[in-house]
Amino acid sequence: MKERQSIFTRAVHAGERSAAPDFTPVSTPVHFSVGYIYQDMRDLDAIFGGQRAGYVYPRYGSPTVHAFEAAMAALEGAGDAVAFASGMGAVHAALLGGGVRAGTAVVAAADVYGATYALLERTMAELGVRTRFVDIADLDEVAAAVEEVQPAALLCEIISNPLMKVADVPALVEIAHQAGATLIVDNTFASPYLFCPLEHGADYVVHSATKYLAGHGDVMAGVVACSAERGLDLRERQKLLGANLGPQEAWLALRGLKTLPLRMRQHCVNAQAVAQWLAGQPAIARVNYPGLEAHPQHAVAQRLFGDRGSGGMLSFELAGAGQAEVFRFMEALELVLPATTLGDVYSLTLYPAHSSHRQVAPEVRAALGISEGLVRLSAGIEDAQDIIADLEQALARATSRQ
Ligand code: PLP
């Protein structure tokens, strides 16, 4: 090779591919490369053939994403975890991994996240999958539906959105497995801080890591945790589906996990305080929070979550309100942000009827109990008294102008 290469060549290659370091970085670097070089071509061949671990192309796996996956597997007590570009990517993959095919059926909680509902109702239905939606808190109804339709999978959210029904996972495991169905639990609202469904027999745990796991409102990600065997199957599917998480997002999500328990503890304390305060306000017709004794699944929440808390999510109904009054209330908030997400360090509100459940027909929303006056609140990690003060002033302003 000539002594001094052209600046065109040097500009491309200079500084790259230094020898493997003899140190280990304390925190995981962001690996942006989409190619990986091995000295011996037989190593590459062995990786492609699945005989040894390694990286060949990021749709097949990549180092920073793998670090996040390994952390998630450890937190959920799983044999493996597979990351996706979003929570919806994770829900889709878990359904396929869970045996959902043309001609099979799914039994799902009627109040699952709006996009999950639409995925089942539209996309999966177009592919020949029938879904029976049930009240997941009514175990007799779930058991009857499972017996009747013999589903490939039973799908629920650990705490439902926006009514905060708590799924009795151990009971649902029994119902699903008796019928040979897989149980998929969307654990987004609880996070592994409150509950690990796999340890109670669930087959797949799904997360929108966009929420509590990453926690800072700056990354979209999803993850499925499951057994090592199911993980291998998911990885094969992901190579074809392609909804892979990028390295920057994986790094942010991994960083978020480090403070997950600290944040969750504060989210739970704040939500409990806010729920108790709201329950005493005459302008509030109803509060949905599993940490309140009046909540229908309060006992289930206590059994599953112990003394760790009841989550950071709650919803409440402004008495006699419709969209106009709810909008006035949300616009009057100064600290709590009206943003279409949840599980962030910031306190956030959302109007389910026009956002998360917009894709659900109004009559179905009404049947589910998602009224036009319902507001969802994701308690952040600020001081609870400051959140309450903001709700108080916004309620006063919204009601004084009625
Ligand atoms: N599951 C639940 C419970 C959610 O709330 C959401 C989104 O809000 C999703 C899944 C979808 O996640 P993503 O928006 O990351 O695709």
Side-chain angles (χ1 to χ4, degrees), residues 89 102 123 151-152 155 183 200 218 234 249 259 298 329 351 361 374 388:
T123 311
L155 171 74
L183 179 66
H200 295 262
D218 50 15
L234 281 183
E249 285 78 9
T259 54
H298 178 64
F329 167 72
Y351 183 47
L374 190 76
I388 290 170

Side-chain angles (χ1 to χ4, degrees), residues 32-182:
F32 281 116
S33 186
V34 293
Y36 308 90
I37 294 165
Y38 296 85
Q39 293 299 331
D40 190 328
M41 283 299 290
R42 281 170 299 190
D43 283 334
L44 192 59
D45 187 55
I47 296 166
F48 267 120
Q51 287 103 30
R52 62 153 281 195
Y55 303 105
V56 291
Y57 187 65
R59 192 156 32 77
Y60 290 43
S62 58
T64 314
V65 174
H66 186 245
F68 168 62
E69 292 173 337
M72 272 314 297
L75 294 191
E76 282 287 2
D80 198 2
V82 184
F84 289 85
S86 69
M88 288 314 300
V91 171
H92 180 205
L95 286 169
L96 297 181
V100 176
R101 308 276 181 275
T104 65
V106 174
V107 171
D111 51 1
V112 283
Y113 173 59
T116 303
Y117 185 92
L119 174 70
L120 291 165
E121 257 277 290
R122 297 189 209 156
T123 311
M124 288 296 184
E126 282 166 7
L127 298 174
V129 176
R130 289 165 299 127
T131 301
R132 171 76 65 86
F133 291 100
V134 293
D135 178 356
I136 207 73
D138 184 340
L139 294 174
D140 290 337
E141 187 186 333
V142 178
V146 166
E147 202 184 317
E148 193 189 325
V149 308
Q150 293 291 308
L154 174 58
L155 171 74
C156 69
E157 292 174 2
I158 183 68
I159 301 174
S160 77
N161 176 21
L163 297 176
M164 314 304 153
K165 287 183 184 174
V166 181
D168 190 341
V169 170
L172 295 172
V173 164
E174 263 202 59
I175 294 172
H177 288 179
Q178 263 177 21
T182 51

Side-chain angles (χ1 to χ4, degrees), residues 86-88 91 113 157 161 186 188-189 208 210-211 220-221 342:
S86 69
M88 288 314 300
V91 171
Y113 173 59
E157 292 174 2
N161 176 21
D186 184 327
T188 300
F189 276 37
S208 168
T210 316
K211 312 297 174 354
M220 170 158 276
L342 64 100

